[in-house]
Amino acid sequence: MTEPSTLDIMLWVVVPYVAIAVFVVGHFWRYRYDKFGWTTRSSQLYESRLLRLGSPLFHFGILVVVLGHVGGVLVPKSWTEAIGISDTAYHVVAVVLGVLAGACTLAGAAILVYRRRTVGPVFSATTRNDKVMYVLLVGAIVLGLGTTVLGNLTDHPHDYRESVSPWFRSIFYLRPKPELMAAAPLGFQLHALVAWALFAFWPFSRLVHVFSMPLGYLTRPYIVYRSRDEQVGNRRARRGW
């Protein structure tokens, strides 16, 4: 394998580390200085029919996509082989689930984008930040789905567990191997670059709600409601407060 060029180092070493740094520091900054902005900016009050269809499709689809990436990128090929999962069986399951989950995610995103474009109040509440987020998010989904579908249609699927996966893990091992990603097909390279751009943009968008959990509701005191109806009880209500 040839030595990585300066461009390869920039794309497959510098870009990932910059994106990770912005992702981590950006979330810390956002939580520290913009807690009231840490929200999905829900538009359910404006329109709910399309939202009830598009939101579950997108969220359940993207959940399966993320789990698939965890299994395919973070889990080494040798681990699945060690527990008896053949390469053929893994490939079939990955393709079937990947295509179904990707199609559901893309369909849900299309409905949500259509809703934002055609429903007046929702469109008015859409910011430039939201538009950039949708471009990056849909771009990453389309490129990921495209590499899976086109690779199998041409009957020459690329084994990303021999190149993309070890390159991705090497980033977190602090021993990056840019030559692995440089040898991957263009579709995988574009998918990775758009994904890093999305991660860098993440802390400054509504996507921060992914890390929100209402744990405070488990320990907060009960809220006691008392009626001010004069017909309730034996005593006459006092005037004023």
Side-chain angles (χ1 to χ4, degrees):
M1 188 171 291
T2 60
E3 288 293 324
S5 64
T6 303
L7 180 61
D8 293 334
I9 295 175
M10 289 294 296
L11 292 178
W12 314 123
V13 179
V14 176
V15 168
Y17 282 124
V18 170
I20 293 172
V22 174
F23 183 86
V24 174
V25 177
H27 277 90
F28 174 80
W29 175 88
R30 181 80 180 270
Y31 186 77
R32 179 68 176 80
Y33 296 103
D34 188 29
K35 287 185 179 181
F36 290 105
W38 192 289
T39 173
T40 61
R41 296 198 302 274
S42 175
S43 58
Q44 185 176 0
L45 291 175
Y46 301 138
E47 195 278 338
S48 60
R49 183 177 61 86
L50 291 173
L51 187 64
R52 283 198 301 267
L53 178 61
S55 183
L57 271 175
F58 175 80
H59 285 91
F60 285 113
I62 200 70
L63 178 60
V64 177
V65 168
V66 170
L67 292 177
H69 277 70
V70 170
V73 176
L74 296 183
V75 177
K77 186 176 181 179
S78 58
W79 290 18
T80 56
E81 292 177 344
I83 60 176
I85 300 177
S86 66
D87 192 55
T88 302
Y90 174 88
H91 179 73
V92 170
V93 173
V95 170
V96 172
L97 287 181
V99 171
L100 288 176
C104 290
T105 305
L106 188 59
I111 293 172
L112 294 177
V113 171
Y114 172 80
R115 172 179 175 269
R116 286 200 168 271
R117 187 64 185 86
T118 59
V119 179
V122 180
F123 181 73
S124 299
T126 303
T127 64
R128 291 182 180 177
N129 185 293
D130 295 330
K131 295 175 183 178
V132 174
M133 179 203 70
Y134 275 110
V135 169
L136 293 175
L137 190 58
V138 173
I141 296 170
V142 169
L143 287 169
L145 187 59
T147 55
T148 302
V149 174
L150 293 178
N152 286 275
L153 286 178
T154 57
D155 202 27
H156 294 288
H158 177 70
D159 190 357
Y160 57 87
R161 294 198 294 168
E162 297 288 353
S163 58
V164 180
S165 298
W167 161 76
F168 186 79
R169 292 193 297 270
S170 73
I171 296 295
F172 294 93
Y173 294 157
L174 301 182
R175 290 178 294 177
K177 300 178 179 179
E179 65 276 6
L180 293 175
M181 195 61 187
L186 179 62
F188 287 91
Q189 294 178 345
L190 294 176
H191 179 56
L193 289 175
V194 174
W196 287 125
L198 178 62
F199 284 129
F201 187 72
W202 194 302
F204 314 104
S205 69
R206 66 172 65 205
L207 292 175
V208 293
H209 77 276
V210 171
F211 303 107
S212 300
M213 296 183 66
L215 297 179
Y217 286 97
L218 300 176
T219 57
R220 75 175 187 178
Y222 292 107
I223 299 177
V224 179
Y225 293 93
R226 292 187 175 91
S227 174
R228 296 184 63 85
D229 190 347
E230 295 185 1
Q231 302 299 321
V232 179
N234 298 323
R235 295 183 180 180
R236 185 177 180 181
R238 296 180 179 179
R239 296 181 60 186
W241 291 100

